[in-house]
């Protein structure tokens, strides 16, 4: 999947836990949650892969670029132009956050509004997955 800044996401090359955050610029709950995902990305960078997957088939690349620039996001952002990845992960509502173990198995899912209230829950899930992955 292609992303901003010429990034390419190849999940088969990833051998660590991964956070998939499905979102859209027009989704007010996504805009509330994105700063939390950005904060966690900065906190767990190098230990956990992050991918903010924009529902580009329902959004626009220009809107995404404007939003990322305005919010000064460093989080890797990718475009789901045809909805294929959204369909593979059975995303029916935004925001949806999916946590995968290093083998790509889904171990956690949060659907719908959460925003700042979800930060502690997400952090707990990430810490638990890291502990499980590291055998501790």
């Amino acid at each position: 999947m292609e992303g901003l800044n010429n990034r390419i996401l190849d999940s088969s090359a990833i051998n660590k836990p991964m956070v998939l955050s499905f979102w859209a610029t027009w989704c007010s709950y996504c805009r509330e949650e994105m700063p939390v995902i950005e904060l966690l990305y900065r906190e767990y960078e190098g230990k956990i892969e992050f991918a903010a997957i924009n529902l580009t088939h329902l959004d626009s690349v220009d809107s995404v670029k404007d939003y990322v620039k305005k919010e000064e996001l460093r989080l890797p952002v990718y475009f789901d132009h045809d909805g294929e990845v959204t369909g593979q992960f059975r995303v029916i509502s935004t925001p949806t956050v999916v946590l995968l173990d290093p083998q790509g198995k889904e171990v956690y899912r949060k659907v719908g509004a959460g925003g700042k209230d979800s930060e502690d829950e997400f952090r707990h899930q990430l810490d638990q997955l890291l502990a499980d992955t590291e055998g501790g």
Side-chain angles (χ1 to χ4, degrees):
M1 187 175 0
E2 75 168 288
L4 282 179
N5 305 320
N6 298 317
R7 290 181 193 250
I8 300 294
L9 178 61
D10 177 3
S11 60
S12 66
I14 296 171
N15 59 357
K16 57 177 104 170
M18 186 168 196
V19 172
L20 304 177
S21 176
F22 293 89
W23 68 290
T25 60
W26 46 261
C27 166
S28 61
Y29 296 121
C30 299
R31 290 192 309 269
E32 286 178 29
E33 190 165 87
M34 197 55 70
V36 172
I37 301 298
E38 174 73 14
L39 176 73
L40 294 171
Y41 167 71
R42 291 178 185 216
E43 185 175 328
Y44 290 90
E45 191 173 7
K47 297 177 192 169
I48 296 176
E49 289 291 325
F50 280 74
I53 300 174
N54 177 265
L55 279 63
T56 318
H57 59 291
L58 303 173
D59 208 339
S60 77
V61 171
D62 288 339
S63 294
V64 173
K65 288 179 179 179
D66 291 345
Y67 179 82
V68 167
K69 183 176 180 180
K70 178 180 170 255
E71 298 300 321
E72 300 178 352
L73 299 179
R74 288 187 2 214
L75 176 70
V77 174
Y78 299 93
F79 305 115
D80 189 9
H81 290 290
D82 57 9
E84 183 179 339
V85 176
T86 303
Q88 285 175 343
F89 281 93
R90 302 172 321 280
V91 174
I92 58 170
S93 180
T94 56
T96 294
V97 174
V98 177
L99 181 56
L100 305 174
D101 70 10
Q103 293 74 42
K105 179 183 171 207
E106 183 176 322
V107 295
Y108 172 81
R109 178 180 291 245
K110 169 103 170 90
V111 178
K116 187 70 174 157
D117 295 339
S118 294
E119 182 179 338
D120 290 338
E121 178 184 346
F122 289 155
R123 187 173 282 109
H124 171 76
Q125 293 295 330
L126 294 173
D127 289 343
Q128 183 63 51
L129 182 56
L130 283 174
D132 292 348
T133 300
E134 296 165 357

